[in-house]
Amino acid sequence: MEVAFPLCNGSPGHFTRLEPEPPKMNPVVEPLSWMLGTWLSDPPGVGTFPTLQPFQYLEEVHISHVGQPMLNFSFNSFHPDTHKPMHRECGFIRLKPDTNKVAFISAQNTGIVEVEEGEVNGHELCISSHSVSRISFAKEPHVEQITRKFRLNSEGKLEQTVSMATTTQPMTQHLHITYKKVTP
């Protein structure tokens, strides 16, 4: 398909857009292939923290690959009644070749950017924050540490548990959610 677009100088530009076959998965990420797909919360997730009222949320997760030695992800949560957007998060999951060592790199709409590291063992991924950075005007109390556990349960559903520590609270479970796969 030929696509026309204006160049910065105003003259017309053209390129041919190819509709390629889906990329082959890079063998480096094969140990995480159980995470691939689109997942929807089933039932709604539950959030708690000492400084928050308990809450529920819906979430849609997309985990994909483009043939590179990493997975791409996006987490999009919504209020269960109003369906208004809540938390957003996107990034990459990398595996150190020939090991079970994993890095989870995430940017969040709350102004937090984090790197978590850990290990994948079978259908379980456990990671904890290696670094947490935030925008200068992030809301307090500031998140200082995060841990996550993903696992594929015996029913083929993906579970995620997130714990965090802030400047005012020790490490405490914050979120738990179960997802059903809706697309491969």
Side-chain angles (χ1 to χ4, degrees):
M1 167 196 325
E2 182 93 358
V3 177
F5 60 95
L7 297 174
C8 293
N9 64 10
S11 62
H14 297 277
F15 72 93
T16 301
R17 182 173 171 188
L18 301 175
E19 298 296 330
E21 293 181 25
K24 290 183 180 176
M25 185 182 335
N26 190 298
V28 169
V29 295
E30 179 61 37
L32 295 170
S33 63
W34 53 273
M35 297 180 78
L36 290 169
T38 298
W39 304 81
L40 295 177
S41 51
D42 181 35
V46 176
T48 59
F49 204 69
T51 57
L52 299 172
Q53 290 292 326
F55 63 95
Q56 291 188 324
Y57 63 103
L58 303 175
E59 191 160 60
E60 182 176 37
V61 176
H62 298 282
I63 303 175
S64 62
H65 73 90
V66 293
Q68 295 177 318
M70 69 193 71
L71 300 181
N72 309 310
F73 69 82
S74 66
F75 293 85
N76 299 297
S77 66
F78 303 89
H79 190 278
D81 298 324
T82 65
H83 295 276
K84 287 185 177 179
M86 294 171 62
H87 185 82
R88 297 283 187 266
E89 189 169 346
C90 61
F92 307 95
I93 306 171
R94 298 187 60 116
L95 260 156
K96 183 176 181 182
D98 302 318
T99 74
N100 66 339
K101 305 294 184 208
V102 177
F104 182 95
I105 305 105
S106 167
Q108 302 177 25
N109 65 341
T110 56
I112 294 175
V113 177
E114 62 173 302
V115 174
E116 298 175 40
E117 294 185 356
E119 297 181 347
V120 60
N121 290 299
H123 291 159
E124 186 171 283
L125 171 61
C126 295
I127 50 181
S128 61
S129 53
H130 173 70
S131 67
V132 178
S133 297
R134 73 190 57 79
I135 57 177
S136 62
F137 51 93
K139 186 171 91 173
E140 291 187 19
H142 293 152
V143 174
E144 292 189 323
Q145 193 176 13
I146 297 173
T147 65
R148 296 178 202 248
K149 179 179 177 180
F150 294 93
R151 87 178 182 95
L152 192 64
N153 70 24
S154 60
E155 298 172 352
K157 293 185 174 186
L158 182 64
E159 295 181 19
Q160 179 184 195
T161 303
V162 178
S163 297
M164 69 178 183
T166 68
T167 50
T168 63
Q169 298 295 323
M171 184 64 72
T172 305
Q173 183 173 315
H174 175 44
L175 304 170
H176 181 78
I177 192 163
T178 301
Y179 311 95
K180 67 178 178 182
K181 187 179 251 187
V182 293
T183 62

